[in-house]
Amino acid sequence: MSCSVNYAPQLRARGYRMTLQRMAILHVLHHSGRHLSPSEVYEQALDEIPNLTEPTVYRTLEFLAKNGLARPTHIGKGHLVYEIARHEQHHHLKCRACGNEMEVEHKLLAELYRQLETASGYRLTDSHVTFFGFCPDCQKGD
């Protein structure tokens, strides 16, 4: 769980401490390389904290998201998943058939964001977009 201690200074700067639960959940998110549902985070974190409860995972994920260490994303049908927060914005392409996921650099959408700000008057500070479709492999079956 040594990678999780990299996040401790961010919590301390906000007046919080790094608990064992926070450390285990950050470790799971950091090493997953993909979005995880709260249940998946719970299952993986149990390896490190056998007496962890699922409600604790939900509360901790909300806490980490509120403090900028985890990023929640709605992936359709009301499902909420989490990933480790990174400084650079990015988005995702997700295959509706096989579930394969691919990251999209924010710079590909930067002009669209500028147009949205101009048209709406909003100043966009954060976003996370997931586009759904069919990956090249799944299209071959059409």
mmCIF file of all heavy atoms in Angstrom, residues 43-84:
data_model
loop_
_atom_site.group_PDB
_atom_site.id
_atom_site.type_symbol
_atom_site.label_atom_id
_atom_site.label_comp_id
_atom_site.label_asym_id
_atom_site.label_seq_id
_atom_site.Cartn_x
_atom_site.Cartn_y
_atom_site.Cartn_z
ATOM 1 N N GLU A 43 -14.570 -5.537 -2.738
ATOM 2 C CA GLU A 43 -14.020 -6.898 -2.888
ATOM 3 C C GLU A 43 -12.491 -6.886 -2.900
ATOM 4 O O GLU A 43 -11.848 -7.727 -2.267
ATOM 5 C CB GLU A 43 -14.541 -7.552 -4.170
ATOM 6 C CG GLU A 43 -16.010 -7.886 -4.139
ATOM 7 C CD GLU A 43 -16.373 -8.914 -3.083
ATOM 8 O OE1 GLU A 43 -15.579 -9.830 -2.841
ATOM 9 O OE2 GLU A 43 -17.468 -8.779 -2.493
ATOM 10 N N GLN A 44 -11.900 -5.932 -3.604
ATOM 11 C CA GLN A 44 -10.433 -5.881 -3.696
ATOM 12 C C GLN A 44 -9.802 -5.379 -2.402
ATOM 13 O O GLN A 44 -8.736 -5.840 -2.015
ATOM 14 C CB GLN A 44 -10.017 -5.013 -4.879
ATOM 15 C CG GLN A 44 -10.361 -5.650 -6.210
ATOM 16 C CD GLN A 44 -9.905 -4.831 -7.388
ATOM 17 O OE1 GLN A 44 -8.880 -4.153 -7.328
ATOM 18 N NE2 GLN A 44 -10.649 -4.884 -8.472
ATOM 19 N N ALA A 45 -10.450 -4.444 -1.731
ATOM 20 C CA ALA A 45 -9.896 -3.899 -0.491
ATOM 21 C C ALA A 45 -9.986 -4.903 0.651
ATOM 22 O O ALA A 45 -9.223 -4.806 1.619
ATOM 23 C CB ALA A 45 -10.605 -2.598 -0.123
ATOM 24 N N LEU A 46 -10.879 -5.872 0.547
ATOM 25 C CA LEU A 46 -10.994 -6.908 1.586
ATOM 26 C C LEU A 46 -9.698 -7.691 1.756
ATOM 27 O O LEU A 46 -9.410 -8.197 2.837
ATOM 28 C CB LEU A 46 -12.124 -7.891 1.249
ATOM 29 C CG LEU A 46 -13.518 -7.485 1.665
ATOM 30 C CD1 LEU A 46 -14.531 -8.519 1.182
ATOM 31 C CD2 LEU A 46 -13.621 -7.306 3.169
ATOM 32 N N ASP A 47 -8.913 -7.792 0.682
ATOM 33 C CA ASP A 47 -7.624 -8.482 0.768
ATOM 34 C C ASP A 47 -6.703 -7.804 1.771
ATOM 35 O O ASP A 47 -5.888 -8.452 2.414
ATOM 36 C CB ASP A 47 -6.929 -8.524 -0.599
ATOM 37 C CG ASP A 47 -7.676 -9.390 -1.600
ATOM 38 O OD1 ASP A 47 -8.476 -10.250 -1.163
ATOM 39 O OD2 ASP A 47 -7.473 -9.193 -2.809
ATOM 40 N N GLU A 48 -6.825 -6.479 1.878
ATOM 41 C CA GLU A 48 -5.954 -5.719 2.768
ATOM 42 C C GLU A 48 -6.574 -5.493 4.144
ATOM 43 O O GLU A 48 -5.858 -5.392 5.136
ATOM 44 C CB GLU A 48 -5.606 -4.371 2.120
ATOM 45 C CG GLU A 48 -4.821 -4.564 0.829
ATOM 46 C CD GLU A 48 -4.550 -3.266 0.113
ATOM 47 O OE1 GLU A 48 -4.417 -2.234 0.791
ATOM 48 O OE2 GLU A 48 -4.470 -3.289 -1.123
ATOM 49 N N ILE A 49 -7.901 -5.381 4.190
ATOM 50 C CA ILE A 49 -8.606 -5.155 5.459
ATOM 51 C C ILE A 49 -9.777 -6.149 5.527
ATOM 52 O O ILE A 49 -10.886 -5.845 5.069
ATOM 53 C CB ILE A 49 -9.140 -3.709 5.564
ATOM 54 C CG1 ILE A 49 -8.031 -2.698 5.328
ATOM 55 C CG2 ILE A 49 -9.783 -3.488 6.925
ATOM 56 C CD1 ILE A 49 -8.514 -1.270 5.301
ATOM 57 N N PRO A 50 -9.554 -7.328 6.070
ATOM 58 C CA PRO A 50 -10.599 -8.363 6.075
ATOM 59 C C PRO A 50 -11.895 -7.976 6.784
ATOM 60 O O PRO A 50 -12.957 -8.494 6.445
ATOM 61 C CB PRO A 50 -9.929 -9.542 6.784
ATOM 62 C CG PRO A 50 -8.471 -9.291 6.653
ATOM 63 C CD PRO A 50 -8.298 -7.804 6.618
ATOM 64 N N ASN A 51 -11.850 -7.069 7.751
ATOM 65 C CA ASN A 51 -13.066 -6.696 8.476
ATOM 66 C C ASN A 51 -13.724 -5.430 7.918
ATOM 67 O O ASN A 51 -14.608 -4.860 8.549
ATOM 68 C CB ASN A 51 -12.784 -6.538 9.976
ATOM 69 C CG ASN A 51 -11.788 -5.426 10.252
ATOM 70 O OD1 ASN A 51 -11.103 -4.945 9.353
ATOM 71 N ND2 ASN A 51 -11.690 -5.022 11.510
ATOM 72 N N LEU A 52 -13.325 -5.001 6.742
ATOM 73 C CA LEU A 52 -13.894 -3.826 6.092
ATOM 74 C C LEU A 52 -15.364 -4.087 5.759
ATOM 75 O O LEU A 52 -15.724 -5.200 5.377
ATOM 76 C CB LEU A 52 -13.110 -3.534 4.802
ATOM 77 C CG LEU A 52 -13.473 -2.289 4.014
ATOM 78 C CD1 LEU A 52 -13.140 -1.039 4.812
ATOM 79 C CD2 LEU A 52 -12.718 -2.284 2.694
ATOM 80 N N THR A 53 -16.198 -3.059 5.897
ATOM 81 C CA THR A 53 -17.607 -3.215 5.542
ATOM 82 C C THR A 53 -17.905 -2.433 4.267
ATOM 83 O O THR A 53 -17.238 -1.435 3.960
ATOM 84 C CB THR A 53 -18.535 -2.710 6.666
ATOM 85 O OG1 THR A 53 -18.351 -1.303 6.816
ATOM 86 C CG2 THR A 53 -18.252 -3.439 7.982
ATOM 87 N N GLU A 54 -18.908 -2.880 3.541
ATOM 88 C CA GLU A 54 -19.258 -2.211 2.292
ATOM 89 C C GLU A 54 -19.748 -0.773 2.524
ATOM 90 O O GLU A 54 -19.374 0.128 1.767
ATOM 91 C CB GLU A 54 -20.299 -3.031 1.516
ATOM 92 C CG GLU A 54 -20.299 -2.691 0.054
ATOM 93 C CD GLU A 54 -20.937 -3.765 -0.817
ATOM 94 O OE1 GLU A 54 -21.356 -4.818 -0.322
ATOM 95 O OE2 GLU A 54 -21.010 -3.514 -2.028
ATOM 96 N N PRO A 55 -20.557 -0.510 3.574
ATOM 97 C CA PRO A 55 -20.931 0.894 3.826
ATOM 98 C C PRO A 55 -19.725 1.806 4.070
ATOM 99 O O PRO A 55 -19.721 2.963 3.661
ATOM 100 C CB PRO A 55 -21.822 0.812 5.065
ATOM 101 C CG PRO A 55 -22.396 -0.564 5.031
ATOM 102 C CD PRO A 55 -21.293 -1.423 4.463
ATOM 103 N N THR A 56 -18.686 1.271 4.696
ATOM 104 C CA THR A 56 -17.469 2.062 4.909
ATOM 105 C C THR A 56 -16.823 2.416 3.578
ATOM 106 O O THR A 56 -16.340 3.534 3.381
ATOM 107 C CB THR A 56 -16.468 1.306 5.805
ATOM 108 O OG1 THR A 56 -17.074 1.107 7.080
ATOM 109 C CG2 THR A 56 -15.157 2.052 5.963
ATOM 110 N N VAL A 57 -16.832 1.484 2.638
ATOM 111 C CA VAL A 57 -16.264 1.738 1.311
ATOM 112 C C VAL A 57 -17.055 2.846 0.621
ATOM 113 O O VAL A 57 -16.468 3.778 0.059
ATOM 114 C CB VAL A 57 -16.225 0.454 0.458
ATOM 115 C CG1 VAL A 57 -15.855 0.765 -0.989
ATOM 116 C CG2 VAL A 57 -15.247 -0.541 1.056
ATOM 117 N N TYR A 58 -18.374 2.780 0.660
ATOM 118 C CA TYR A 58 -19.203 3.820 0.031
ATOM 119 C C TYR A 58 -18.915 5.189 0.640
ATOM 120 O O TYR A 58 -18.724 6.169 -0.081
ATOM 121 C CB TYR A 58 -20.695 3.492 0.178
ATOM 122 C CG TYR A 58 -21.212 2.543 -0.877
ATOM 123 C CD1 TYR A 58 -21.144 1.170 -0.693
ATOM 124 C CD2 TYR A 58 -21.773 3.026 -2.059
ATOM 125 C CE1 TYR A 58 -21.621 0.292 -1.657
ATOM 126 C CE2 TYR A 58 -22.256 2.167 -3.025
ATOM 127 C CZ TYR A 58 -22.178 0.799 -2.818
ATOM 128 O OH TYR A 58 -22.649 -0.051 -3.786
ATOM 129 N N ARG A 59 -18.881 5.263 1.970
ATOM 130 C CA ARG A 59 -18.617 6.550 2.635
ATOM 131 C C ARG A 59 -17.216 7.062 2.307
ATOM 132 O O ARG A 59 -17.015 8.256 2.071
ATOM 133 C CB ARG A 59 -18.774 6.409 4.154
ATOM 134 C CG ARG A 59 -20.210 6.388 4.624
ATOM 135 C CD ARG A 59 -20.309 6.519 6.136
ATOM 136 N NE ARG A 59 -19.522 5.535 6.864
ATOM 137 C CZ ARG A 59 -19.953 4.316 7.205
ATOM 138 N NH1 ARG A 59 -21.164 3.934 6.874
ATOM 139 N NH2 ARG A 59 -19.177 3.500 7.873
ATOM 140 N N THR A 60 -16.247 6.155 2.279
ATOM 141 C CA THR A 60 -14.862 6.554 2.006
ATOM 142 C C THR A 60 -14.706 7.016 0.568
ATOM 143 O O THR A 60 -14.015 8.010 0.305
ATOM 144 C CB THR A 60 -13.897 5.397 2.329
ATOM 145 O OG1 THR A 60 -14.080 5.020 3.701
ATOM 146 C CG2 THR A 60 -12.450 5.807 2.101
ATOM 147 N N LEU A 61 -15.349 6.342 -0.374
ATOM 148 C CA LEU A 61 -15.291 6.785 -1.767
ATOM 149 C C LEU A 61 -15.886 8.176 -1.920
ATOM 150 O O LEU A 61 -15.324 9.028 -2.620
ATOM 151 C CB LEU A 61 -16.007 5.785 -2.677
ATOM 152 C CG LEU A 61 -15.264 4.487 -2.950
ATOM 153 C CD1 LEU A 61 -16.185 3.469 -3.611
ATOM 154 C CD2 LEU A 61 -14.018 4.725 -3.796
ATOM 155 N N GLU A 62 -17.011 8.442 -1.254
ATOM 156 C CA GLU A 62 -17.616 9.776 -1.302
ATOM 157 C C GLU A 62 -16.673 10.814 -0.696
ATOM 158 O O GLU A 62 -16.512 11.911 -1.238
ATOM 159 C CB GLU A 62 -18.945 9.779 -0.556
ATOM 160 C CG GLU A 62 -20.050 9.048 -1.288
ATOM 161 C CD GLU A 62 -21.342 8.971 -0.489
ATOM 162 O OE1 GLU A 62 -21.508 9.747 0.484
ATOM 163 O OE2 GLU A 62 -22.188 8.130 -0.838
ATOM 164 N N PHE A 63 -16.042 10.466 0.415
ATOM 165 C CA PHE A 63 -15.087 11.368 1.064
ATOM 166 C C PHE A 63 -13.904 11.651 0.134
ATOM 167 O O PHE A 63 -13.488 12.804 -0.037
ATOM 168 C CB PHE A 63 -14.590 10.746 2.380
ATOM 169 C CG PHE A 63 -13.434 11.477 2.981
ATOM 170 C CD1 PHE A 63 -13.633 12.598 3.773
ATOM 171 C CD2 PHE A 63 -12.132 11.052 2.750
ATOM 172 C CE1 PHE A 63 -12.555 13.286 4.313
ATOM 173 C CE2 PHE A 63 -11.053 11.728 3.290
ATOM 174 C CZ PHE A 63 -11.265 12.849 4.076
ATOM 175 N N LEU A 64 -13.349 10.614 -0.474
ATOM 176 C CA LEU A 64 -12.196 10.783 -1.364
ATOM 177 C C LEU A 64 -12.570 11.612 -2.592
ATOM 178 O O LEU A 64 -11.775 12.431 -3.052
ATOM 179 C CB LEU A 64 -11.632 9.420 -1.772
ATOM 180 C CG LEU A 64 -11.010 8.601 -0.644
ATOM 181 C CD1 LEU A 64 -10.670 7.193 -1.122
ATOM 182 C CD2 LEU A 64 -9.779 9.290 -0.069
ATOM 183 N N ALA A 65 -13.778 11.420 -3.113
ATOM 184 C CA ALA A 65 -14.231 12.213 -4.259
ATOM 185 C C ALA A 65 -14.400 13.678 -3.859
ATOM 186 O O ALA A 65 -13.966 14.583 -4.581
ATOM 187 C CB ALA A 65 -15.534 11.644 -4.799
ATOM 188 N N LYS A 66 -15.002 13.910 -2.716
ATOM 189 C CA LYS A 66 -15.208 15.282 -2.226
ATOM 190 C C LYS A 66 -13.874 16.003 -2.030
ATOM 191 O O LYS A 66 -13.784 17.221 -2.216
ATOM 192 C CB LYS A 66 -15.973 15.230 -0.908
ATOM 193 C CG LYS A 66 -16.248 16.561 -0.284
ATOM 194 C CD LYS A 66 -17.007 16.393 1.016
ATOM 195 C CE LYS A 66 -16.978 17.665 1.818
ATOM 196 N NZ LYS A 66 -17.491 17.467 3.168
ATOM 197 N N ASN A 67 -12.835 15.252 -1.696
ATOM 198 C CA ASN A 67 -11.521 15.845 -1.453
ATOM 199 C C ASN A 67 -10.562 15.714 -2.629
ATOM 200 O O ASN A 67 -9.360 15.918 -2.487
ATOM 201 C CB ASN A 67 -10.925 15.241 -0.183
ATOM 202 C CG ASN A 67 -11.602 15.805 1.042
ATOM 203 O OD1 ASN A 67 -11.312 16.921 1.452
ATOM 204 N ND2 ASN A 67 -12.541 15.064 1.614
ATOM 205 N N GLY A 68 -11.095 15.372 -3.798
ATOM 206 C CA GLY A 68 -10.309 15.403 -5.028
ATOM 207 C C GLY A 68 -9.335 14.264 -5.226
ATOM 208 O O GLY A 68 -8.441 14.366 -6.068
ATOM 209 N N LEU A 69 -9.481 13.167 -4.497
ATOM 210 C CA LEU A 69 -8.559 12.037 -4.652
ATOM 211 C C LEU A 69 -9.153 10.895 -5.473
ATOM 212 O O LEU A 69 -8.421 10.041 -5.970
ATOM 213 C CB LEU A 69 -8.126 11.513 -3.285
ATOM 214 C CG LEU A 69 -7.342 12.516 -2.442
ATOM 215 C CD1 LEU A 69 -7.065 11.957 -1.061
ATOM 216 C CD2 LEU A 69 -6.044 12.903 -3.133
ATOM 217 N N ALA A 70 -10.456 10.869 -5.601
ATOM 218 C CA ALA A 70 -11.135 9.877 -6.440
ATOM 219 C C ALA A 70 -12.095 10.636 -7.339
ATOM 220 O O ALA A 70 -12.581 11.709 -6.994
ATOM 221 C CB ALA A 70 -11.891 8.869 -5.583
ATOM 222 N N ARG A 71 -12.348 10.065 -8.493
ATOM 223 C CA ARG A 71 -13.248 10.714 -9.453
ATOM 224 C C ARG A 71 -14.425 9.794 -9.718
ATOM 225 O O ARG A 71 -14.260 8.707 -10.258
ATOM 226 C CB ARG A 71 -12.516 11.004 -10.750
ATOM 227 C CG ARG A 71 -13.380 11.694 -11.785
ATOM 228 C CD ARG A 71 -12.610 11.909 -13.072
ATOM 229 N NE ARG A 71 -11.516 12.822 -12.851
ATOM 230 C CZ ARG A 71 -11.485 14.066 -13.320
ATOM 231 N NH1 ARG A 71 -12.475 14.522 -14.031
ATOM 232 N NH2 ARG A 71 -10.457 14.840 -13.087
ATOM 233 N N PRO A 72 -15.632 10.230 -9.350
ATOM 234 C CA PRO A 72 -16.817 9.435 -9.664
ATOM 235 C C PRO A 72 -17.277 9.707 -11.092
ATOM 236 O O PRO A 72 -17.129 10.823 -11.595
ATOM 237 C CB PRO A 72 -17.849 9.931 -8.657
ATOM 238 C CG PRO A 72 -17.433 11.341 -8.371
ATOM 239 C CD PRO A 72 -15.938 11.390 -8.531
ATOM 240 N N THR A 73 -17.818 8.690 -11.729
ATOM 241 C CA THR A 73 -18.307 8.823 -13.096
ATOM 242 C C THR A 73 -19.570 7.992 -13.252
ATOM 243 O O THR A 73 -19.607 6.839 -12.814
ATOM 244 C CB THR A 73 -17.248 8.314 -14.100
ATOM 245 O OG1 THR A 73 -16.045 9.035 -13.912
ATOM 246 C CG2 THR A 73 -17.717 8.485 -15.523
ATOM 247 N N HIS A 74 -20.577 8.577 -13.879
ATOM 248 C CA HIS A 74 -21.780 7.816 -14.201
ATOM 249 C C HIS A 74 -21.563 7.164 -15.553
ATOM 250 O O HIS A 74 -21.196 7.828 -16.513
ATOM 251 C CB HIS A 74 -23.001 8.740 -14.256
ATOM 252 C CG HIS A 74 -23.397 9.235 -12.910
ATOM 253 N ND1 HIS A 74 -24.170 8.493 -12.051
ATOM 254 C CD2 HIS A 74 -23.099 10.374 -12.256
ATOM 255 C CE1 HIS A 74 -24.335 9.166 -10.926
ATOM 256 N NE2 HIS A 74 -23.693 10.318 -11.026
ATOM 257 N N ILE A 75 -21.771 5.858 -15.611
ATOM 258 C CA ILE A 75 -21.506 5.137 -16.853
ATOM 259 C C ILE A 75 -22.781 4.619 -17.497
ATOM 260 O O ILE A 75 -22.781 3.654 -18.232
ATOM 261 C CB ILE A 75 -20.512 3.976 -16.640
ATOM 262 C CG1 ILE A 75 -21.034 3.002 -15.593
ATOM 263 C CG2 ILE A 75 -19.142 4.506 -16.293
ATOM 264 C CD1 ILE A 75 -20.302 1.675 -15.600
ATOM 265 N N GLY A 76 -23.868 5.264 -17.224
ATOM 266 C CA GLY A 76 -25.130 4.868 -17.829
ATOM 267 C C GLY A 76 -25.928 3.967 -16.909
ATOM 268 O O GLY A 76 -25.388 3.303 -16.028
ATOM 269 N N LYS A 77 -27.225 3.975 -17.120
ATOM 270 C CA LYS A 77 -28.162 3.167 -16.344
ATOM 271 C C LYS A 77 -28.030 3.413 -14.843
ATOM 272 O O LYS A 77 -28.247 2.525 -14.033
ATOM 273 C CB LYS A 77 -27.995 1.688 -16.661
ATOM 274 C CG LYS A 77 -28.286 1.347 -18.101
ATOM 275 C CD LYS A 77 -28.143 -0.123 -18.365
ATOM 276 C CE LYS A 77 -28.360 -0.403 -19.847
ATOM 277 N NZ LYS A 77 -28.111 -1.786 -20.191
ATOM 278 N N GLY A 78 -27.597 4.628 -14.467
ATOM 279 C CA GLY A 78 -27.514 4.993 -13.065
ATOM 280 C C GLY A 78 -26.336 4.410 -12.305
ATOM 281 O O GLY A 78 -26.250 4.556 -11.103
ATOM 282 N N HIS A 79 -25.425 3.749 -12.998
ATOM 283 C CA HIS A 79 -24.282 3.129 -12.328
ATOM 284 C C HIS A 79 -23.177 4.152 -12.103
ATOM 285 O O HIS A 79 -22.796 4.891 -13.007
ATOM 286 C CB HIS A 79 -23.738 1.958 -13.149
ATOM 287 C CG HIS A 79 -24.719 0.842 -13.295
ATOM 288 N ND1 HIS A 79 -25.077 0.022 -12.252
ATOM 289 C CD2 HIS A 79 -25.430 0.420 -14.362
ATOM 290 C CE1 HIS A 79 -25.956 -0.858 -12.669
ATOM 291 N NE2 HIS A 79 -26.207 -0.635 -13.956
ATOM 292 N N LEU A 80 -22.674 4.184 -10.882
ATOM 293 C CA LEU A 80 -21.587 5.079 -10.508
ATOM 294 C C LEU A 80 -20.332 4.254 -10.299
ATOM 295 O O LEU A 80 -20.350 3.232 -9.611
ATOM 296 C CB LEU A 80 -21.948 5.826 -9.221
ATOM 297 C CG LEU A 80 -20.989 6.906 -8.747
ATOM 298 C CD1 LEU A 80 -20.930 8.047 -9.762
ATOM 299 C CD2 LEU A 80 -21.441 7.440 -7.406
ATOM 300 N N VAL A 81 -19.254 4.677 -10.928
ATOM 301 C CA VAL A 81 -17.962 4.015 -10.763
ATOM 302 C C VAL A 81 -16.929 5.062 -10.373
ATOM 303 O O VAL A 81 -17.154 6.261 -10.518
ATOM 304 C CB VAL A 81 -17.522 3.276 -12.054
ATOM 305 C CG1 VAL A 81 -18.440 2.103 -12.356
ATOM 306 C CG2 VAL A 81 -17.459 4.234 -13.236
ATOM 307 N N TYR A 82 -15.792 4.587 -9.890
ATOM 308 C CA TYR A 82 -14.739 5.487 -9.418
ATOM 309 C C TYR A 82 -13.407 5.109 -10.050
ATOM 310 O O TYR A 82 -13.160 3.952 -10.376
ATOM 311 C CB TYR A 82 -14.595 5.375 -7.897
ATOM 312 C CG TYR A 82 -15.757 5.943 -7.145
ATOM 313 C CD1 TYR A 82 -16.907 5.183 -6.915
ATOM 314 C CD2 TYR A 82 -15.729 7.242 -6.653
ATOM 315 C CE1 TYR A 82 -17.982 5.704 -6.214
ATOM 316 C CE2 TYR A 82 -16.807 7.767 -5.950
ATOM 317 C CZ TYR A 82 -17.925 6.991 -5.737
ATOM 318 O OH TYR A 82 -18.987 7.500 -5.050
ATOM 319 N N GLU A 83 -12.555 6.110 -10.160
ATOM 320 C CA GLU A 83 -11.164 5.903 -10.539
ATOM 321 C C GLU A 83 -10.332 6.877 -9.720
ATOM 322 O O GLU A 83 -10.854 7.824 -9.131
ATOM 323 C CB GLU A 83 -10.946 6.104 -12.037
ATOM 324 C CG GLU A 83 -11.120 7.530 -12.512
ATOM 325 C CD GLU A 83 -10.852 7.703 -13.994
ATOM 326 O OE1 GLU A 83 -10.190 6.851 -14.604
ATOM 327 O OE2 GLU A 83 -11.304 8.704 -14.543
ATOM 328 N N ILE A 84 -9.042 6.644 -9.689
ATOM 329 C CA ILE A 84 -8.148 7.546 -8.971
ATOM 330 C C ILE A 84 -8.151 8.885 -9.714
ATOM 331 O O ILE A 84 -8.184 8.921 -10.944
ATOM 332 C CB ILE A 84 -6.720 6.954 -8.860
ATOM 333 C CG1 ILE A 84 -5.924 7.630 -7.762
ATOM 334 C CG2 ILE A 84 -5.984 6.990 -10.175
ATOM 335 C CD1 ILE A 84 -6.329 7.255 -6.372
#
